[in-house]
Amino acid sequence: MSGRQNSSVPMLRVYQPEHVRLAATLAFSIGLMVVPTLFSWPEWVMRGLLAVGLTLLAVALLMVFQARLRVNARAMAVELLTGFIEKDATPSFVTDDDGGIHACNQAAQTRFQEAERDTLAGTLRSVLANPSAVLFRLQSRARFEGAAREDIVTRRGHVRLAVHQMNGGSFLWRVEDVVERQGGGRSAEAVPIPMITVGRTGAVLFMNEASRKLIGERVKSTDRLFPTLPVSSGEVNTISTKTGPVDVLVTELNRTQGRSELYLMEFNSSEVPGQQASFEHMPVPLIKLAPSGDILSLNKMAMAMLGVDSRENLKLSQMMEGLGRPMSDWLRDTADGLASNKSEFLRLSRPDKEVFVQVTLTRAVEEGATILIAVLNDATELKTLEAQFVQSQKMQAIGQLAGGVAHDFNNLLTAISGHCDLLLLRHDQGDQDFGDLIQIHENANRAAALVSQLLAFSRKQTLLPEVLDVRDTLSDLTHLLNRLVGEKVTLTLSHDPVMRSIRADKRQLEQVLMNLVVNARDAMPNGGEIRVRTEAVTLDKPLKRDRASVPEGNWVTVKVSDEGVGISPDKMQKVFEPFYTTKRTGEGTGLGLSTAYGIIKQTGGYIFVDSVIDKGTTFTLFFPVYQEGADEAEAEVPVETPKAVPAPQHGEGVVLLVEDEAPVRAFASRALRMRGYTVLEAESAEDALRTLEDPGLTVDVFVTDVVMPGMDGPSWVREALKTRPDTRVVFVSGYAEGAFGESEPDVPNSVFLPKPFSLNQLTETVHAQLH
């Protein structure tokens, strides 16, 4: 064959006009235009012949142009197809209608380097016994449907042939080796027991790594492996290996389509006499079941996994749960050969700990009776990772929901509390409406605190960290905590005499401690003692527990312990989930511990829980010790500023207010004008930029929302500062500072004011920016 077969460029047919016909048309058209000039014919005849000649010439040129377009289009298609199959890791061929190979990619040359490459049938003869019949069948389907595919079982494994019909009568073929997989969907290579898959005729279709290591080579049929046939399932058989005969215990599991899987266990009669003993010492948990669900026998590993001491009167439905349908139906379908042989993930009914298992159930025949063999695999770590992934997605979704709710609620609360402040300026304490206005103002603040709690467990609240001594914080809380726990419960505080400072939001830390103390009180309905103990600890190496790692260094710990009912092991990993609660309806929201978890993590700390049923529960909080240094130096700067200089008065400046929420914009505008500022309003970033186009306009401060339809606050401010670099900026938002991602305000001379804000907070912030 020519060198084309070593190239990936397919030789596609390009239909071009016949050269003879084109030349004849051109000659005839030229003749019609030239001949009349040689004779003295009437003018109308000459004009007619000239018109016909020009028309034929135009037709011929159009035919040439169309041919060129077809050639260019086909060349482009060839180039695209070349790039597609050349880099494909799957062997690919382009053939004509008769099976002759036009081209093949590098993967095909590597895979079939020793095969004949004139035709596809000859190339695949090393893989398929009768490739011509298979190729003809697939090519016929491809002509009718456009594409066809078929999986073929060979002695070397599974092969997938796929063909696509291309324009021009060519066919694109792909030859793919399919990795043999178990019914449960996991690769059989991962099974530690030697396993081979045997076809209906005794051909060995697949051998995993463990079986190849045991036998020492690949075998093609069972008669080469077993000197004595048929194979006796459940008994000791002798196999031929490279190192000589080896006794193995064979377990045959029937599969669909006439295939079966043979598990081979090396058998040493001097160490473990008897077949039952070999079953006992198998390195995987195995259970023999009756179709009714009664456990006939189970080996030692299965007993250890199930946590049982006796083998009498056991049923599978008592040992496991979580199938989603009656277990008897699953067992009966498997015994009747109707099940799909896929693995199921179940939870063991163990009171001491939570264990998940992957159960592969297979039908077998023993002494003429149908039994079921269950192979167990510990899937606790897999389910734990799955639960972590689900939990992270749940927290992300709730965090996004909380952020959106907080933004909308904070806008509403800003308008409510702001207009309430405006009304309070016009009413004194003797006014009969003053009490109602105070109630509105206080409840708006309570609503703002509730929104802040929503943001806490999603770790998106705005924290106001300060340097704290945990002992002082607990001392300030002692009176309130004693009132919370009641008369039946005793609260005991103990502190480490050598205590280090931490940096945290005092209000949020108080919320965490109150929540833990209230939970401890609720866990002791008959009374008891709650102990709160602080301690300074130094970790010489990272502390790893509960899928977390506390770095080495200096830490301050706070432990809150009770003598209550405790938490069961299966619920320990769920206590920090939002909306999860063990309390009765109306007694808990499930937000307390998740809020505490979010606050601790956002502060840079860790929280762990230890519990023993009927003994009590201990929550341990880790806070990093505050490192004195640069922050302290920065904190000293305001101290050196002279305090004798009188602060400038309000009303000295022009404010550009940009807010898309009309009620918030109305309140903020009135509040600033009442303090004497000149206020320019804009409802969007685009309006603000249009306002600033006036070169004669002077603006001292931009007060802008961060998240708005269209251009956001930081984006338009950066654009405006290109021509007004000295303008101060106040960003306001219903979201938390630092929750904007790439849009986080990194603008110079800017400050952040979270919503909801009061009249005084807004005007004082603007005043501080101006002066």
Side-chain angles (χ1 to χ4, degrees):
M1 187 176 176
S2 64
R4 290 288 284 182
Q5 63 188 142
N6 294 325
S7 169
S8 63
V9 182
M11 298 171 55
L12 304 179
R13 300 185 187 84
V14 178
Y15 297 100
Q16 301 181 10
E18 296 181 5
H19 297 290
V20 176
R21 184 182 303 175
L22 181 60
T25 304
L26 286 173
F28 186 63
S29 63
I30 293 174
L32 289 177
M33 292 185 291
V34 174
V35 169
T37 60
L38 303 177
F39 301 96
S40 300
W41 288 347
E43 185 177 355
W44 64 272
V45 174
M46 296 177 65
R47 288 182 177 179
L49 293 175
L50 182 63
V52 172
L54 290 173
T55 301
L56 290 176
L57 180 62
V59 171
L61 293 176
L62 181 61
M63 292 171 63
V64 173
F65 179 71
Q66 289 179 339
R68 177 57 57 187
L69 287 180
R70 284 197 296 270
V71 170
N72 291 340
R74 188 55 54 88
M76 184 181 298
V78 168
E79 184 177 356
L80 291 174
L81 182 61
T82 299
F84 172 74
I85 70 171
E86 179 63 28
K87 305 300 181 183
D88 195 353
T90 301
S92 302
F93 300 87
V94 177
T95 68
D96 57 18
D97 192 44
D98 297 327
I101 298 177
H102 286 179
C104 60
N105 62 359
Q106 185 60 43
Q109 297 178 37
T110 303
R111 173 72 168 79
F112 301 98
Q113 56 185 350
E114 298 180 357
E116 174 196 350
R117 293 208 302 263
D118 289 340
T119 63
L120 185 60
T123 302
L124 298 182
R125 192 160 284 119
S126 60
V127 178
L128 305 178
N130 186 15
S132 300
V134 177
L135 297 178
F136 178 77
R137 180 168 65 249
L138 288 175
Q139 191 166 303
S140 300
R141 286 171 51 195
R143 286 196 191 97
F144 180 73
E145 301 175 359
R149 186 181 71 177
E150 185 173 326
D151 290 348
I152 304 167
V153 179
T154 70
R155 288 179 177 267
R156 296 186 178 183
H158 283 188
V159 175
R160 177 173 296 164
L161 277 178
V163 58
H164 298 264
Q165 186 177 27
M166 302 186 299
N167 292 332
S170 299
F171 294 88
L172 174 62
W173 296 84
R174 301 177 80 246
V175 184
E176 183 178 0
D177 292 324
V178 181
V179 178
E180 182 77 20
R181 294 186 179 271
Q182 285 184 321
R186 298 178 58 208
S187 176
E189 289 289 353
V191 178
I193 303 177
M195 186 273 290
I196 63 174
T197 302
V198 181
R200 184 182 291 106
T201 61
V204 177
L205 305 178
F206 175 78
M207 299 174 61
N208 68 352
E209 180 63 29
S211 65
R212 293 194 296 269
K213 185 176 180 180
L214 171 65
I215 300 169
E217 61 180 349
R218 291 180 178 271
V219 293
K220 296 183 178 181
S221 62
T222 53
D223 56 4
R224 295 279 302 275
L225 181 61
F226 293 94
T228 303
L229 291 176
V231 178
S232 301
S233 177
E235 299 179 4
V236 177
N237 294 254
T238 301
I239 63 172
S240 301
T241 69
K242 265 199 166 184
T243 58
V246 175
D247 290 335
V248 293
L249 177 67
V250 179
T251 301
E252 181 178 9
L253 304 181
N254 295 332
R255 293 292 182 183
T256 57
Q257 300 177 353
R259 291 183 296 160
S260 61
E261 293 179 353
L262 301 182
Y263 290 86
L264 315 176
M265 285 298 304
E266 274 195 87
F267 181 81
N268 192 332
S269 57
S270 62
E271 295 180 0
V272 186
Q275 297 178 12
Q276 184 62 29
S278 64
F279 176 80
E280 284 290 322
H281 291 80
M282 277 195 171
V284 291
L286 293 176
I287 304 177
K288 289 184 180 180
L289 300 165
S292 61
D294 295 320
I295 295 180
L296 302 177
S297 62
L298 65 166
N299 63 0
K300 288 185 177 181
M301 290 195 67
M303 292 181 64
M305 179 175 287
L306 296 175
V308 296
D309 299 326
S310 173
R311 304 178 180 177
E312 302 297 330
N313 301 322
L314 296 179
K315 295 185 70 71
L316 191 67
S317 58
Q318 299 173 350
M319 300 288 101
M320 305 174 188
E321 58 186 19
L323 182 62
R325 59 171 176 148
M327 193 164 290
S328 58
D329 294 348
W330 179 42
L331 299 175
R332 185 171 56 254
D333 290 346
T334 305
D336 295 341
L338 303 177
S340 57
N341 289 322
K342 70 175 183 177
S343 300
E344 298 286 353
F345 288 89
L346 303 177
R347 180 181 180 273
L348 296 184
S349 303
R350 294 187 58 164
D352 55 339
K353 60 180 180 179
E354 189 173 48
V355 179
F356 290 91
V357 291
Q358 181 184 18
V359 184
T360 304
L361 198 62
T362 309
R363 178 178 178 270
V365 177
E366 188 176 83
E367 298 179 358
T370 299
I371 64 169
L372 301 174
I373 297 179
V375 181
L376 310 184
N377 185 27
D378 192 344
T380 305
E381 184 177 356
L382 176 64
K383 296 297 288 186
T384 301
L385 292 175
E386 180 184 353
Q388 287 180 349
F389 177 72
V390 172
Q391 175 68 7
S392 65
Q393 287 200 321
K394 183 193 302 182
M395 287 297 295
Q396 181 181 4
I398 293 176
Q400 292 175 349
L401 175 63
V405 170
H407 177 261
D408 294 338
F409 265 84
N410 283 332
N411 277 326
L412 297 174
L413 293 173
T414 302
I416 293 171
S417 61
H419 285 91
C420 185
D421 287 342
L422 293 174
L423 288 173
L424 285 172
L425 292 177
R426 301 199 301 267
H427 295 76
D428 54 24
Q429 295 185 5
D431 196 303
Q432 61 179 358
D433 295 329
F434 185 80
D436 296 334
L437 293 174
I438 291 296
Q439 286 292 326
I440 295 173
H441 192 271
E442 290 181 352
N443 282 280
N445 289 337
R446 288 181 59 192
L450 185 60
V451 172
S452 176
Q453 187 181 14
L454 272 178
L455 289 174
F457 69 78
S458 63
R459 301 180 226 170
K460 292 184 179 180
Q461 80 232 15
T462 300
L463 296 181
L464 302 175
E466 56 183 298
V467 180
L468 300 174
D469 189 316
V470 180
R471 294 174 298 186
D472 296 338
T473 303
L474 284 170
S475 298
D476 296 339
L477 272 179
T478 302
H479 180 66
L480 177 58
L481 293 178
N482 280 320
R483 293 183 57 187
L484 286 174
V485 299
E487 298 178 354
K488 292 183 179 181
V489 178
T490 303
L491 180 65
T492 303
L493 302 179
S494 61
H495 302 296
D496 191 330
V498 181
M499 184 57 63
R500 305 285 295 276
S501 298
I502 66 172
R503 192 167 187 267
D505 187 316
K506 182 177 181 180
R507 182 173 59 88
Q508 301 288 357
L509 178 59
E510 290 174 347
Q511 180 182 349
V512 171
L513 295 173
M514 286 191 294
N515 183 275
L516 294 178
V517 170
V518 169
N519 283 348
R521 177 203 65 187
D522 294 340
M524 299 185 296
N526 299 322
E529 181 184 10
I530 300 176
R531 295 177 299 279
V532 180
R533 185 175 62 193
T534 62
E535 184 180 3
V537 298
T538 300
L539 297 179
D540 297 328
K541 59 181 180 179
L543 173 64
K544 296 183 178 180
R545 57 166 296 181
D546 298 345
R547 303 188 299 273
S549 178
V550 182
E552 59 185 19
N554 297 320
W555 298 85
V556 172
T557 63
V558 180
K559 293 185 178 180
V560 181
S561 306
D562 62 60
E563 301 171 343
V565 295
I567 305 172
S568 59
D570 60 323
K571 296 177 181 177
M572 289 272 286
Q573 59 185 358
K574 301 178 182 179
V575 294
F576 296 116
E577 292 185 7
F579 309 113
Y580 178 80
T581 179
T582 58
K583 298 179 181 179
R584 292 176 296 183
T585 303
E587 294 184 358
T589 62
L591 289 177
L593 287 177
S594 59
T595 299
Y597 180 86
I599 293 173
I600 298 300
K601 296 300 289 184
Q602 193 172 5
T603 307
Y606 297 84
I607 180 170
F608 302 107
V609 57
D610 299 283
S611 185
V612 179
I613 295 294
D614 297 329
K615 295 292 185 180
T617 303
T618 299
F619 284 89
T620 305
L621 315 180
F622 280 80
F623 295 98
V625 170
Y626 171 66
Q627 301 293 333
E628 300 179 359
D631 295 341
E632 194 175 73
E634 293 178 3
E636 294 175 356
V637 175
V639 178
E640 300 174 0
T641 305
K643 296 184 178 180
V645 180
Q649 301 297 315
H650 287 284
E652 301 175 358
V654 179
V655 178
L656 176 58
L657 175 63
V658 186
E659 172 61 62
D660 61 305
E661 290 285 341
V664 178
R665 188 171 68 249
F667 151 66
S669 176
R670 287 182 58 188
L672 292 171
R673 287 193 176 102
M674 288 179 60
R675 294 299 172 93
Y677 296 105
T678 302
V679 181
L680 305 175
E681 298 183 32
E683 64 179 358
S684 66
E686 291 76 11
D687 288 345
L689 292 175
R690 282 193 292 269
T691 301
L692 295 175
E693 290 176 356
D694 183 1
L697 180 64
T698 301
V699 177
D700 300 301
V701 180
F702 298 147
V703 179
T704 176
D705 194 5
V706 174
V707 180
M708 296 181 292
M711 188 181 293
D712 60 19
S715 298
W716 84 260
V717 168
R718 293 190 191 98
E719 185 69 25
L721 289 180
K722 293 179 181 179
T723 56
R724 301 170 183 266
D726 299 328
T727 308
R728 300 279 177 165
V729 184
V730 177
F731 288 106
V732 298
S733 179
Y735 292 105
E737 184 179 15
F740 311 113
E742 297 180 357
S743 301
E744 184 172 351
D746 54 353
V747 179
N749 300 323
S750 65
V751 295
F752 179 79
L753 179 63
K755 296 178 182 178
F757 50 78
S758 65
L759 185 149
N760 287 334
Q761 288 174 331
L762 173 63
T763 55
E764 291 298 333
T765 303
V766 173
H767 177 70
Q769 280 294 86
L770 277 172
H771 307 290

